[in-house]
Amino acid sequence: MQDLYQEIILDHYRRPQGRGLREPFDSQVHHVNPTCGDEIDLRVHLEDRDGLPYVADVSYAGQGCSISQASASVMFESLADKPLTEAFESLARFQEMIQSKGENPGDEDTMGDAVAFAGVAKYPARIKCALLPWLAWKDAVLRASDASSTDKDDQ
Amino acid sequence: MTATTALAPLDVSRIRLDFPILARTVRDARPLVYLDSAATSQKPVAVLDAERHFYVTSNAAVHRGAHQLAEEATEAYEGARAEIAGFVGARAEDVVFTRNATESLNLMAYAFSNATDKARMGSALPEGAERFILRAGDEILVTEMEHHANLIPWQEVCAKTGATLRWIGLTDEGRLDLKDLNLINERTRVVSFVHQSNILGTLNPVGPIVERARAVGALTILDACQSVPHMPFDVSTLGVDAVAWSGHKMLGPTGIGCLWAHADVLSAMPPFLSGGSMIETVTMEASTFAPPPARFEAGVPMVAQAVGLAEACRYLTHLGMDRIEAHEHDMTAYALNGLAQIPGVRVIGPTDTHDRGSAISFVVDGVHPHDVGQVLDDRGVAVRVGHHCAWPTCRRMQVPATTRLSPYLYNDHADIDACLNAVAEVRGIFGAT
């Protein structure tokens, strides 16, 4: 169980980073984990910085277990204020590690605190808890991108 | 024997020998403490042997074929029906086999939406089907402590027919607010309610609800999933029109549920699933349907599961449902008392054993139920976490989810102690204050 509840995870659970819904934002999503009732509201704000799309902000609020709440905090640290392509690479690394059934321990150099979730991979029932905020972020970004391309089509 | 005679207690250590799974270890070689029987019970060897014996000796499709195996299989299937019906005080021909209690409740709900659809089209309906035809303005009444299986099918019926769903609310203690019985009026066509809540443990008063419902001619349906396995149960004394329950929560196999209803109710219902086995005559243009229960058992049924469930009924009867009820009452009192001693723990649902079953939900201050369950799992204690398919009930009780322990006839005080000891550790692990 220590593999699951690493001190880093419990720290993020007790002192979540980036929590609270903020303005401005381009899209907002509400994701739930229907088997256990975990919920997250998540907003993304995308920004063009010298021609490069950036995740200017990710903000969130919700309720859930320590794994989903700590994962939201780590997700914020991993994805906010990062170039969009880099953020998607972080998402891919996190998903790959957590769905590897323990085969992929993650790389601390590229993943930071997110490697602490490697232990979750051994608890199939908790994988969806850890993924909830990350997949909400992905959905929010896709919606924001859809909205902006629709805006351009309109012009 | 008089009511005051003490019942002989169950010999749990001997009973446990009938359930080999209880001797296994989980996680890091921890002995399994199984306290999730409200989700599904474990199965005694006798049930597994009965299923195997059927497959080894008599397997064939029932109700067709002229060969000896088909005869034996049909006899096993119908014999199982008689045994299971007898267990709940019913006539065999009034018990329908389904996949599970969810299907049993859907079967009732679809009787309403199908009758309404067919009436709209002027299609043929069984005699007496008028009571299943709904109109806009008609009302269906449930309670705020329903399992989703007895809520969503009625939401669907309302969406299809224009009927309105209403519900009896709950008190803060997690009992039905009986003032809401006033919701039963001349527009009420169905009152479908849970006997014992799977999340709160509350045992609901069937008598007063049925009395009000009958006075306005509403059909009454009881979700008895959490009562049939745990107490003496007799359909003929409850006064309801229909009862749904599942096999797998009462030591039986998965894949079989039951629906009992009064003969005149079943015979007035149009079919749910259609196809083979449920017909009387078939032409290319149209068909007529078999009488109940065959009308509601389309396709080759779950024969081995019926045989297994009948064996489960024999096993329970042999132990005595009154003794099982007394045993669970003792487990419930012991667990409720133990939980009350742990700081930061709050029971969601009645906190005393009055009109209460053995499913006990609780929350731990500052720790999410999922995390509570994980700590318990690490100690070998299997409990359920989440909203227990009763999300609106969680909202009403103002909790996102709960942790639930649910003992059965094979649990003892040592199991409850293991659970309580683990619960007492939880807040320390998460630094909750």
Side-chain angles (χ1 to χ4, degrees), chain A residues 1 4-5 10 13-14 34-38 63-66 123 126 129, chain B residues 27 366-368 370-371 374-375 378-379 386-387 391 400-401 429-431:
Chain A
M1 193 176 66
L4 182 63
Y5 294 123
L10 293 179
Y13 173 52
R14 292 176 197 130
T35 54
C36 60
D38 287 2
Q63 57 173 17
C65 64
S66 60
Y123 292 87
R126 305 308 290 277
C129 309
Chain B
R27 298 301 176 200
V367 185
H368 191 275
H370 245 189
D371 295 318
Q374 198 78 55
V375 174
D378 189 62
R379 307 297 188 262
H387 51 57
W391 211 336
I429 291 168
F430 291 93

Side-chain angles (χ1 to χ4, degrees), chain B residues 118-129:
Chain B
K118 286 185 168 181
R120 218 174 262 154
M121 298 302 294
S123 306
L125 279 167
E127 200 182 324

Side-chain angles (χ1 to χ4, degrees), chain A residues 57-119:
Chain A
D57 193 16
V58 188
S59 65
Y60 64 93
Q63 57 173 17
C65 64
S66 60
I67 301 299
S68 72
Q69 297 302 292
S71 184
S73 173
V74 169
M75 180 259 329
F76 168 80
E77 287 192 341
S78 307
L79 308 181
D81 206 30
K82 299 285 192 312
L84 191 55
T85 49
E86 208 176 288
F88 268 108
E89 283 164 18
S90 296
L91 167 68
R93 275 193 290 267
F94 187 78
Q95 258 188 296
E96 196 182 310
M97 175 186 77
I98 216 157
Q99 292 173 334
S100 73
K101 297 179 177 167
E103 300 280 303
N104 176 351
D107 172 20
E108 192 168 358
D109 290 341
T110 53
M111 297 177 68
D113 283 359
V115 292
F117 288 85

Side-chain angles (χ1 to χ4, degrees), chain B residues 355-386:
Chain B
D355 283 345
R356 187 197 211 295
S358 59
I360 302 175
S361 273
F362 60 94
V363 292
V364 179
D365 276 352
V367 185
H368 191 275
H370 245 189
D371 295 318
V372 176
Q374 198 78 55
V375 174
L376 269 54
D377 169 65
D378 189 62
R379 307 297 188 262
V381 180
V383 294
R384 171 92 191 261
V385 298

Side-chain angles (χ1 to χ4, degrees), chain B residues 257-303:
Chain B
C258 301
L259 173 72
W260 167 87
H262 270 297
D264 60 344
V265 171
L266 283 179
S267 65
M269 288 161 53
F272 172 37
L273 301 175
S274 53
S277 301
M278 50 75 74
I279 51 92
E280 192 179 54
T281 58
V282 179
T283 66
M284 286 312 292
E285 290 77 25
S287 303
T288 59
F289 307 119
R295 186 188 302 165
F296 306 105
E297 294 181 359
V300 172
M302 56 303 273
V303 187

Side-chain angles (χ1 to χ4, degrees), chain B residues 303-348:
Chain B
V303 187
Q305 288 92 329
V307 168
L309 181 55
E311 189 61 33
C313 290
R314 277 189 283 272
Y315 186 94
L316 291 167
T317 302
H318 175 71
L319 288 178
M321 290 310 294
D322 47 356
R323 291 171 72 209
I324 291 168
E325 184 182 36
H327 175 76
E328 290 194 37
H329 190 82
D330 171 65
M331 290 291 117
T332 306
Y334 189 73
L336 284 172
N337 182 54
L339 287 170
Q341 314 298 318
I342 305 172
V345 170
R346 183 162 58 96
V347 168
I348 305 300

